[in-house]
Amino acid sequence: MLFESYVKLVNDYPRDRDHLFGNPLAEDSSLWLAVDHDAYPALLFASRREEVRNDVELRSISVHFSRDCVIEAHDGYTNSGVYTAVCLRENDPDVVRMVLRLLGETFNIRNRPFTNKEIAARILELADLFRQIGESVGDVVGLWGELYILSCSSNLETAVRSWCINKNAKYDYVTEQFVLEAKTTLLSRRKHRFTLDQLRPIGEFSVYVASLVVVEVDAGRTAVELMDELYDKICDDDLRARFLAQCLVKGGRDMYLSTLKLGAFPDGTSLVVFDATRVLVPIIPEDSFITNVRFDVDLTDLSPISRREMATVLAFGSG
């Protein structure tokens, strides 16, 4: 992975030097990962000198198009050529890990070569994603619960496609037949907060609530570990990239800093699913000016749907 290669480059960076030190990611030297003397990483794509574009300067990423570059490799070999350099102005390991992972998905080496125009377009797409991550107030427990529900699906890729991109969406999962809202708690009772229009929407579709009770345990998994486990099971390249981006937006930029390890009960009772029509809600007169009604509900003593029906819901319409 790119981050592991980055760490090795930083540790092996030659002393008393002031140049790019890198590792070729392609046998023909058309793609490199390199670091400078400040441990700032860069991806370098072989380009043509005549393919001129204005450089891109963002808060933490810059792109320099068609520049003459000299890169020293581990074995002392020096590579010279014209490259487009995607440079990260960060050396915090957790930030670098996150951004390199996104860059690795965005610029999948199996999809080489990239033109400067394509590189610029993809970087601008990433810029919007970085903005969302930077503005996100991470909810690691909530993300853990949503990932756990994905892990319980009989068809992971279908489930991921049903997973809503916006962390502030009304529901966490949307299919053609129903919607599913996920609620996760560390409390012993299933107390969750809802909005009225979540449980009583205007529309002809079924609403379910997945209630997950988790415990903090040393043998558990962090949100990142659970994310990695699911990530490795997704075969579709575009879906895997979208899945990673969603996790980072929902978990926030400090997700990699979290050491919180959670787990479900071994008897399979942690996760239950309720039919939203059976959940009691406040009654608001139709002519009332009251809006945006939020309330807490204790679902502990409410009967959930059957295990068989829950399996159907967690298949997310895949059959």
Side-chain angles (χ1 to χ4, degrees), residues 206-226:
S206 299
V207 180
Y208 294 97
V209 175
S211 174
L212 178 64
V213 177
V214 295
V215 292
E216 186 174 357
V217 57
D218 287 338
R221 291 168 291 181
T222 65
V224 170
E225 289 170 340
L226 187 51

Side-chain angles (χ1 to χ4, degrees), residues 159-175:
V160 172
R161 288 188 175 92
S162 302
W163 195 26
C164 290
I165 297 175
N166 191 328
K167 67 172 293 185
N168 296 316
K170 183 186 295 186
Y171 301 105
D172 295 310
Y173 312 90
V174 176
T175 75

Side-chain angles (χ1 to χ4, degrees), residues 105 108 110-111 234-242:
E105 287 295 338
N108 191 316
R110 288 173 291 181
N111 293 332
I234 300 174
C235 299
D236 184 283
D237 289 343
D238 291 336
L239 185 63
R240 189 172 58 244
R242 196 190 83 173

